[in-house]
Amino acid sequence: MCDFANGLAFTVLFLLLMTLPLAAAEAIPPAAADYELSLSFTPDQSRLTGTAKITVPAGHRLSLALPQLVVTGSLLRDENGRENGLQPTGDVLILPAGPTARTLFLSYTRTVAEDVDNLISPAGISLTSNWYPIPDRPMRFRVTAALPDRFSAICEADTFPLARKGNTVSAFFSRPIGALHFTAGPYTIHKLQVRENLFVYALFFEEDADLADGYLQAAAQYLRRYEREIGPYPYNHYVIVANRLPTGYGMPTFTLLGQTVLRLPFIKDTSLGHEIVHSWFGNRVEVDYSGGNWCEGLTAFLSDHAFRQEKGEGVIDRNESITRYLSYVHPDSAIPLAAFTSASHRQAMAEARRAVGYNRGALLFHELREKIGIPAFTEGVRGFYAANRDRAASWDDLRKSFSGAAGVDLDGFFAERLTRTDIPDLAVENIAITAVDHRPMLSLTLRQQTEKPFSLVVPIRIRTMAGEFNVTHEMNDLVTPLAIPLDQRPLEFTVDPDQTMLRQLAPEELPAVWSRLLGAEKKLAILARESDRELFQPLLDSLGDQGLAVTTADTVTNKELGENDLLFLGLDQLPARSLFGPPSPTTAGLRLDVRRNPLNPDRVAVLVTSGTRQDTH
């Protein structure tokens, strides 16, 4: 870090650094920017050099986070031209409020080394975290960048492609944002018109250019779809950007998808739509995190779940969501939905927290739609977006919108599902078939096996010789007796057959899947012999040591087999044969066979076969 004692010397240096990038600024609309950022790169050294000019109005303070940045100079100039040097304290620079408007100039460097969020290399540039002085409030950004030869770039901007003069690009974003992202590389640029005044673009590397048309067609369909469902697309363009790093982010005006992810054939039919919905929810309507993150659940419901529903797989998708929740969320890891804020994979108990935010959140919206009906739900979504554009919205704003659209009080519904850590658990008792006025009557008692009752709308499907039909009953107490008159004697009935809500599943509803082992609190790996440990060590390492014990076939007890979720490493062992019979002929590669644990139907057993150590990576 350099200390500039001479303000004039720093001013000259700053202006020299700014000269080249600002040459193209004339192409940018003359709207005021709070934050002007100038960038240049040394790709073969993984280094970024930046200069920032930040306008601070009179009476306002400013705090800048400087994580992993090396500040090379700083200067504060007031509106009367007086200049003062400034020095950060650690990774933070704090500017107290002053009586006049001021301009802060800051120069810095950032070297990217083994960074999972950022990349500066001859193959591409991707900057998504801790790469510029981060202000403590949203700002309007103007960015200019000197790029390597043959590179194109994108960041949040009002227009695309970015204004360009030689190798220098310029961008301006007129909406204040809390985070800025910048990506550049040797891209090919592809373009498709969605409607009048709206185009979608693909910035793909040359080796993936053949994928561009499929992505453009899919993106155009999503944009048209969600304009109908939510409201007009909130920006001037949409860009699908390939990244050398494995990302899946949705930013204002573009999505950043890892190159390896883009090549997966299902991404444009699933994840792309999810990221596009974030244009409305998460970007134009931001999240008020003080009351929890509603955005991931709503986005997952409007995209991921909706796509499966339209393919006739809605029940399967909900079963997978409930199973994932039950696999990862246990009494010691459960948090209320209102406490979910971050979707990061790096947080403690990430899978449990993501199951709350994504799965429990999406299931809340499905249950809500079942409760108030599709027309009211659709009106609630559109009204919520219209009322909350350009502001941070909360769960309470959602509640108000859906309550208004449906004309019902939803205070209790949202309070239960946002603040409670338990979930509904239904049982059926006192089943009887009687005759009333010469007609069959099905009598039963619904019981909630929770300490306090939930307010539920419970569907029941009844099958008779004439066919199937559905009835629904509201349930607000722990015990609810029902008497259902029928035209014919019932053959069978099922409570909540389509799994319309997040609830405890009966053993026959809960499939044996890999996630149940991953999320198990007690799991036991059984080696056929101790000498096999090296073969399976990569797999054991990937599972971590939380709740995992390892033993061998000759020492494991029947009690241990019944008390744990099981991982049989190699099938040439007596415990596996005694439970599942002789193993099937094996083929090359790693094979996972997930089954119910015969000694405990609430647990699973995974049978693993592998030919080489490399298969287990």
Side-chain angles (χ1 to χ4, degrees):
M1 181 179 298
C2 298
D3 181 6
F4 285 90
N6 188 316
L8 178 60
F10 175 74
T11 302
V12 173
L13 173 62
F14 183 88
L15 292 175
L16 286 173
L17 287 171
M18 293 288 285
T19 299
L20 177 60
L22 289 178
E26 296 176 359
I28 302 299
D34 306 311
Y35 195 132
E36 299 181 30
L37 187 60
S38 173
L39 309 171
S40 62
F41 302 93
T42 311
D44 56 352
Q45 298 178 21
S46 300
R47 189 171 69 245
L48 156 70
T49 300
T51 54
K53 175 185 175 184
I54 305 172
T55 302
V56 185
H60 285 244
R61 70 183 297 277
L62 175 69
S63 176
L64 288 176
L66 309 168
Q68 299 174 274
L69 306 183
V70 176
V71 176
T72 56
S74 57
L75 177 70
L76 183 65
R77 179 188 297 155
D78 67 20
E79 62 184 10
N80 298 316
R82 291 188 294 265
E83 297 179 349
N84 293 288
L86 277 179
Q87 285 300 316
T89 302
D91 290 338
V92 178
L93 189 152
I94 298 176
L95 182 63
T100 64
R102 293 160 295 168
T103 303
L104 174 64
F105 299 91
L106 196 72
S107 64
Y108 69 95
T109 64
R110 168 80 155 88
T111 300
V112 173
E114 299 181 1
D115 193 321
V116 296
D117 294 317
N118 303 301
L119 173 72
I120 301 174
S121 79
I125 296 168
S126 179
L127 301 170
T128 62
S129 177
N130 297 338
W131 63 275
Y132 67 98
I134 304 170
D136 59 354
R137 63 177 180 273
M139 288 191 169
R140 292 167 295 179
F141 284 87
R142 187 189 306 273
V143 178
T144 60
L147 300 178
D149 292 340
R150 300 185 301 105
F151 272 38
S152 300
I154 187 169
C155 64
E156 290 86 348
D158 286 345
T159 60
F160 186 83
L162 304 187
R164 186 170 191 128
K165 186 173 183 180
N167 279 2
T168 298
V169 295
S170 304
F172 174 71
F173 199 42
S174 56
R175 294 191 177 95
I177 51 176
L180 181 71
H181 310 85
F182 184 91
T183 300
Y187 290 120
T188 60
I189 303 178
H190 311 263
K191 175 181 178 181
L192 178 68
Q193 185 167 10
V194 179
R195 56 163 170 75
E196 186 178 1
N197 298 323
L198 179 59
F199 288 85
V200 60
Y201 299 84
L203 261 62
F204 284 10
F205 298 110
E206 187 174 358
E207 58 267 31
D208 297 318
D210 60 322
L211 300 176
D213 183 64
Y215 272 91
L216 292 175
Q217 295 290 345
Q221 292 178 11
Y222 290 131
L223 290 166
R224 296 184 191 111
R225 170 187 180 140
Y226 290 111
E227 283 200 320
R228 294 191 299 269
E229 292 186 12
I230 304 173
Y233 175 67
Y235 304 109
N236 299 327
H237 56 269
Y238 191 81
V239 189
I240 309 159
V241 185
N243 190 7
R244 300 291 189 191
L245 298 176
T247 53
Y249 299 143
M251 293 85 161
T253 73
F254 70 102
T255 185
L256 188 60
L257 299 177
Q259 184 179 22
T260 55
V261 173
L262 281 171
R263 294 171 178 173
L264 298 174
F266 55 85
I267 292 298
K268 67 176 180 295
D269 300 320
T270 54
S271 301
L272 177 62
H274 182 107
E275 299 306 333
I276 285 177
V277 174
H278 275 312
S279 299
W280 285 266
F281 298 127
N283 290 328
R284 192 61 187 268
V285 179
E286 297 183 353
V287 178
D288 179 357
Y289 290 99
S290 64
N293 181 348
W294 49 266
C295 180
E296 295 302 345
L298 179 59
T299 300
F301 178 71
L302 294 177
S303 56
D304 307 84
H305 180 68
F307 305 153
R308 297 284 299 274
Q309 181 89 30
E310 289 161 9
K311 290 164 53 178
E313 299 174 358
V315 178
I316 296 173
D317 185 69
R318 290 192 293 278
N319 179 269
E320 291 174 358
S321 288
I322 297 171
T323 299
R324 179 176 176 80
Y325 183 89
L326 296 176
S327 296
Y328 289 109
V329 181
H330 308 292
D332 63 338
S333 61
I335 60 170
L337 184 51
F340 168 76
T341 56
S342 172
S344 172
H345 286 282
R346 299 172 203 163
Q347 63 187 315
M349 298 186 297
E351 294 301 335
R353 291 182 177 272
R354 288 172 63 85
V356 172
Y358 284 83
N359 301 111
R360 185 165 191 164
L363 289 162
L364 176 151
F365 289 106
H366 183 269
E367 186 181 6
L368 176 63
R369 190 175 67 177
E370 293 292 301
K371 182 179 180 68
I372 67 176
I374 292 176
F377 185 87
T378 302
E379 182 184 342
V381 169
R382 294 179 65 86
F384 172 70
Y385 173 68
N388 293 283
R389 284 174 297 184
D390 298 318
R391 65 180 295 266
S394 66
W395 277 108
D396 196 51
D397 293 313
L398 275 165
R399 177 193 59 77
K400 292 175 183 176
S401 180
F402 285 115
S403 292
V408 296
D409 184 350
L410 295 172
D411 291 9
F413 175 87
F414 275 91
E416 287 176 356
R417 283 144 190 83
L418 293 179
T419 62
R420 292 178 63 166
T421 57
D422 60 340
I423 62 175
D425 186 1
L426 296 174
V428 181
E429 303 172 343
N430 305 323
I431 302 170
I433 302 172
T434 57
V436 177
D437 296 332
H438 307 291
R439 295 178 59 193
M441 177 76 73
L442 173 62
S443 301
L444 58 98
T445 299
L446 290 177
R447 178 180 295 276
Q448 297 196 46
Q449 301 182 114
T450 49
E451 184 177 343
K452 296 188 300 183
F454 284 85
S455 175
L456 303 174
V457 176
V458 181
I460 302 175
R461 182 170 297 156
I462 303 171
R463 185 168 68 88
T464 69
M465 289 294 291
E468 291 184 345
F469 65 96
N470 298 308
V471 296
T472 58
H473 289 274
E474 291 195 10
M475 187 179 187
N476 300 300
D477 301 310
L478 287 176
V479 177
T480 302
L482 298 178
I484 306 171
L486 304 172
D487 292 328
Q488 293 190 10
R489 187 176 179 85
L491 301 176
E492 66 177 21
F493 71 91
T494 310
V495 175
D496 191 28
D498 294 333
Q499 298 178 11
T500 59
M501 68 188 81
L502 175 63
R503 58 175 173 81
Q504 297 290 344
L505 298 181
E508 58 270 23
E509 295 178 292
L510 191 61
V513 292
W514 176 243
S515 66
R516 290 179 61 187
L517 177 80
L518 293 179
E521 295 180 285
K522 290 180 61 179
K523 40 186 173 276
L524 180 65
I526 304 105
L527 293 161
R529 57 195 64 84
E530 181 60 36
S531 59
D532 288 344
R533 184 182 291 267
E534 182 182 2
L535 173 66
F536 292 103
Q537 194 60 51
L539 178 58
L540 292 172
D541 291 342
S542 70
L543 295 173
D545 57 3
Q546 186 171 2
L548 176 66
V550 182
T551 188
T552 56
D554 58 347
T555 61
V556 69
T557 66
N558 287 337
K559 184 174 185 293
E560 290 174 319
L561 292 174
E563 291 178 346
N564 290 273
D565 289 85
L566 306 175
L567 181 66
F568 288 102
L569 300 175
L571 304 187
D572 183 20
Q573 54 171 286
L574 180 60
R577 290 197 302 271
S578 65
L579 293 177
F580 301 106
S584 303
T586 60
T587 57
L590 179 70
R591 178 180 176 182
L592 303 178
D593 185 4
V594 186
R595 306 182 185 185
R596 286 188 169 86
N597 184 343
L599 301 179
N600 187 337
D602 293 330
R603 299 188 180 275
V604 297
V606 181
L607 290 76
V608 180
T609 55
S610 175
T612 67
R613 189 176 193 273
Q614 188 170 353
D615 292 335
T616 64
H617 279 270

